[in-house]
Amino acid sequence: MEGRKCLGNRGITADMNVVTVEGLDRIYGSGRTRVEALMEVSFCLAPGELSVLVGASGSGKTTLLNMIAGFDHPTGGTVRVLDQEIGVMGETALALFRRQHLGFVFQALNLIPTLSATENVELPLTLLGIPRSARRVRVCELLECAGLRDRAAAMPGELSGGEQQRIAALRAVAARPKLLLMDEPTSCLDSSNTADLVGLLLDLNQGEKICMLLTTHDQRVTRAVPRSIRLVDGRIADGQD
Ligand code: ADP
Ligand code: MG
């Protein structure tokens, strides 16, 4: 896809995109087991843009997130994040790049069960070598923003599903990434916890200008988010904007 078409009327230039996906294909298997999980997928995400990736189960949403984060490699096409082509980066460079610029929350939240809520949120900052005092200021600010100050010392097993999801989101944004990817963040949440999580994500998007891409089936999420990108059988549906 050409830059102009990709960028629509947002009045931004190509080098400002946080994500640029061009002609992306991901084909699994071959012969009778061949699955075209993604075909000719192209779109861009601007700095601070909040979007949902919607589509039926099996339409390729998780595959696309994995490709943007560099956990899986394209069969064809390219993914650029902050102008770095993800598919050609070595594992070490990619790991550092993710740590500095990307936050992601998978469906399995992967909170570390032996660390408290505070320590889980703090972990990315520890890995980046941020001093303890600065880490604690940042963690307090985030827990406050999520209404979780009183759960700071709780272990993941003592948190409700909604609290765990919010702690996972806070951990993903602790290091102020440019991009947050979340896979089906509300799939296990009731209405009240969904509203809390969506409120938190909107606050973080506005306050910290983090570009976010969330996969969802959930109309309570899509209604709250300005842009929907729709996948149908691995292809971008027309009229996505
Ligand atoms: P969604 O997240 O929208 O439910 P997925 O990205 O998980 O969809 O899957 C898209 C398609 O790719 C599905 O048909 C799925 O079965 C297939 N697929 C996903 N991962 C693999 C894999 N590792 N090997 C083979 N097929 C896969
Ligand atoms: Mg999925």
Side-chain angles (χ1 to χ4, degrees):
M1 183 183 281
E2 289 172 18
R4 282 181 67 80
K5 189 177 175 193
C6 206
L7 294 168
N9 294 323
R10 289 191 190 83
I12 53 177
T13 57
D15 60 359
M16 288 169 67
N17 287 325
V18 174
V19 175
T20 305
V21 174
E22 289 185 301
L24 186 68
D25 301 329
R26 181 59 168 105
I27 298 167
Y28 294 109
S30 61
R32 276 190 299 171
T33 62
R34 179 183 162 102
V35 177
E36 295 181 347
L38 296 172
M39 291 301 286
E40 297 167 31
V41 170
S42 298
F43 66 94
C44 300
L45 302 177
E49 190 166 22
L50 174 54
S51 309
V52 286
L53 182 60
V54 296
S57 182
S59 59
K61 302 182 298 297
T62 299
T63 302
L64 182 51
L65 285 199
N66 283 335
M67 221 62 79
I68 295 171
F71 293 117
D72 191 6
H73 291 284
T75 308
T78 57
V79 175
R80 301 184 76 81
V81 178
L82 300 170
D83 227 21
Q84 296 277 328
E85 189 176 339
I86 293 297
V88 301
M89 291 172 82
E91 278 307 316
T92 309
L94 192 53
L96 188 61
F97 182 80
R98 282 195 204 105
R99 196 176 288 172
Q100 290 175 326
H101 301 299
L102 248 73
F104 38 84
V105 182
F106 299 110
Q107 276 185 277
L109 301 177
N110 300 325
L111 291 174
I112 298 182
T114 52
L115 298 181
S116 68
T118 291
E119 290 162 343
N120 265 283
V121 176
E122 192 179 0
L123 188 62
L125 304 174
T126 309
L127 293 173
L128 284 170
I130 310 276
R132 188 171 191 275
S133 55
R135 296 197 308 258
R136 289 295 158 118
V137 169
R138 175 68 173 152
V139 173
C140 281
E141 168 189 70
L142 288 170
L143 291 171
E144 179 78 45
C145 177
L148 290 171
R149 276 290 284 273
D150 59 340
R151 309 299 286 136
M155 305 304 280
E158 299 167 337
L159 299 170
S160 71
E163 289 170 339
Q164 288 181 23
Q165 185 63 256
R166 278 179 281 153
I167 290 292
L170 297 184
R171 183 178 61 177
V173 300
R176 302 183 191 278
K178 298 285 189 302
L179 174 65
L180 173 65
L181 304 170
M182 293 184 91
D183 202 4
E184 306 274 0
T186 62
S187 60
C188 299
L189 301 184
D190 63 14
S191 297
S192 160
N193 278 301
T194 294
D196 285 349
L197 181 71
V198 169
L200 173 62
L201 295 175
L202 291 171
D203 285 350
L204 290 169
N205 173 253
Q206 287 294 309
E208 308 209 345
K209 307 294 178 211
I210 304 170
C211 175
M212 298 183 181
L213 182 63
L214 325 171
T215 73
T216 192
H217 285 97
D218 190 335
Q219 293 210 340
R220 296 168 299 185
V221 181
T222 50
R223 275 198 295 266
V225 170
R227 180 181 179 196
S228 293
I229 300 169
R230 180 171 298 279
L231 279 176
V232 176
D233 295 336
R235 293 173 188 268
I236 298 274
D238 287 341
Q240 50 149 320
D241 277 319

